[in-house]
Amino acid sequence: MSEQGILLPFYLVVDVSYSMNGPKMEQANQILPAVADALAKAPILADKVRFGLLDFSDDAQVVLPLSDMTGHQHLPKLAVRGGTDFGAAFRTLRERLHQDVAQLRADGFKVHRPAVFFLSDGEPQPGWEADFAALTEYDKQTGQGFKWYPVLVPCGVDEAGRDTMRRLVHPYRRSKLYMMRSGADAADAIRAMAEVLISSVLASGQSAVDGSSGFVLPDRSQLPPSIDVDDDWLK
Amino acid sequence: MSGGLDGPAADGPVTATIGDPGRAHTEVRPRLRSDPAQPPDTVVDHGTAVSLEVRAASVRGLSHRESGTPRQDAYGFALTADEQHLVVVVADGVSAGALSHEAAAFVGRRGPREVVRHLDAGTPPELLPWSEVFTGLAATILAEGARSLLRAEPGRFAAHPPEEGDVAAAMATTATFLICPTTPPRGGERHVHLAWIGDSPAWALDPDGGWHNLSGIKGAGAEVTSSRVEALPRIPRDPAALPRAAYPLRDDWTLLVMTDGTGDPLGPAHGEVAGQLATWWRRPPPPLVFADQVGFGRRSYDDDRTVVSIWPGGGPEPG
């Protein structure tokens, strides 16, 4: 039984390969201030939410460590570099989740399963599957795998392949895939995905306030027109 | 101990906090209740019952203050005609029900009277027919609740009056009762009796600051905490199996019956919150200070809070 109250950790992981250069990167850099603004207006939810930002290309870096988003005068910026290695992102993410959750639990918080929004605009280098499995697989019976696996919400724009991105939806019943509609503007789609992210942060926080425990994604009807959602799982 | 009296500004109001108060405690602007029929934001009581010193406060939580929704907690007490027993109840309206504050208020108003009726008729506390008390309260909630629902949603119930399931979905509440003798038996300890439905805990606080649970701790032993709460007007199939307890109690201990708005941050009662509340409540504080302390700021705890405290040994230390 924790003594410090509940916390909902959210992470945004952004592809910063060279193809993201330009308006897409500008739009991606608007996400962090938008999250901070939304939480600034909702102190009750802000007290329950932590937010962190990672980027990845050939390697992955923590841009903003998991934080309560208060008092940040200067939010860090993303910058493009290198290629698209999902495996690097998954490895760094697993490390961070492991450390962050362990630390918060040691501090006495009751930590909700982390939610990760994963934004990419291209096809990854091959060979990421083992790192994905190490991040997401867990067998409750035997305790094998990563106990604090996240709810992973893939968000794809531009050249991101629907089939590849769909494989990242985890767990199937709790997550969804968000994809740019064909013909839409990629920067618009990133802005729309930021809205999905912020709605999810606020709705999940409110769910915690109401005594439910759950990660909430916005309803299909609330989606901006530049993206669609793939959530009709036949499983 | 990092608890204390910190205000949002040096010359601002001073309010109680324990640890990091979070942003909500200073930033939420409570909405005034729009309907005078809604319960007040905060209610406070204090007084003596023979040798017992009593404080009670029910404080609207930050999330209800922000949304302008009613406080869903309530408390009540009653004294037997011979003034030998004080009966206390706290009730925590289940947040999913839009009218749960009414169910909690019914329990606060009628529950102690109902128990006192049995005691006045000569039933000793250890033989109190609790299943009858809870069943009777459930029936009251169902009857009164049906009328409330008709008033609240006349269109929906124009053809068919509300059924029990409709009422139970609209209003539900926990109830934790405590019966405390007002005078100690000669040369001995007082025997207190408890009975409860739902997760509003009762605790005793010893003079060394040690906490002793009298009713079970929410989430203890459960790997995954469930938000499902046992609550009136639903009664278990076998109401005789509802939990009850009896304890001997020394006069220098403090008795506290509370809703989970206080019980949750208290947790298993060996952390920062337990230490600070023990410091504050070893002896009875002034009533308005008590109410402020019940509403202590602590990050991410924004539920309604209700505590009824009994100091069997009487009032504050002299001097």
Side-chain angles (χ1 to χ4, degrees), chain A residues 1 3 5 40 47-48 70 211, chain B residues 23-24 218 227 273 298 300-301:
Chain A
M1 180 93 190
E3 216 232 341
D47 282 347
K48 296 184 193 294
T70 57
Chain B
R23 283 178 47 205
K218 180 159 110 181
S227 58
V273 174
R298 184 166 179 82
S300 113
Y301 287 103

Side-chain angles (χ1 to χ4, degrees), chain B residues 101-126:
Chain B
H101 58 288
E102 294 191 12
F106 291 145
V107 168
R109 261 200 320 273
R110 311 226 174 153
R113 272 202 334 237
E114 200 50 30
V115 174
V116 157
R117 200 171 58 79
H118 288 284
L119 296 172
D120 282 347
T123 309
E126 60 272 21

Side-chain angles (χ1 to χ4, degrees), chain A residues 153-227:
Chain A
V153 184
C155 303
V157 300
D158 263 0
E159 305 302 317
R162 187 175 287 268
D163 292 338
T164 304
M165 294 302 274
R166 184 178 283 139
R167 292 167 67 188
L168 307 187
V169 173
H170 186 84
Y172 273 122
R173 288 162 201 284
R174 298 179 62 189
S175 180
K176 298 175 183 177
L177 165 65
Y178 293 93
M179 289 295 290
M180 181 178 99
R181 282 188 195 283
S182 60
D185 177 73
D188 277 351
I190 291 173
R191 180 165 48 224
M193 283 158 187
E195 285 176 37
V196 170
L197 165 65
I198 289 166
S199 302
S200 171
V201 169
L202 297 181
S204 304
Q206 189 59 48
S207 154
V209 170
D210 295 339
S212 320
S213 117
F215 168 66
V216 183
L217 284 166
D219 194 73
R220 177 186 283 271
S221 64
Q222 297 168 335
L223 279 193
S226 53
I227 55 175

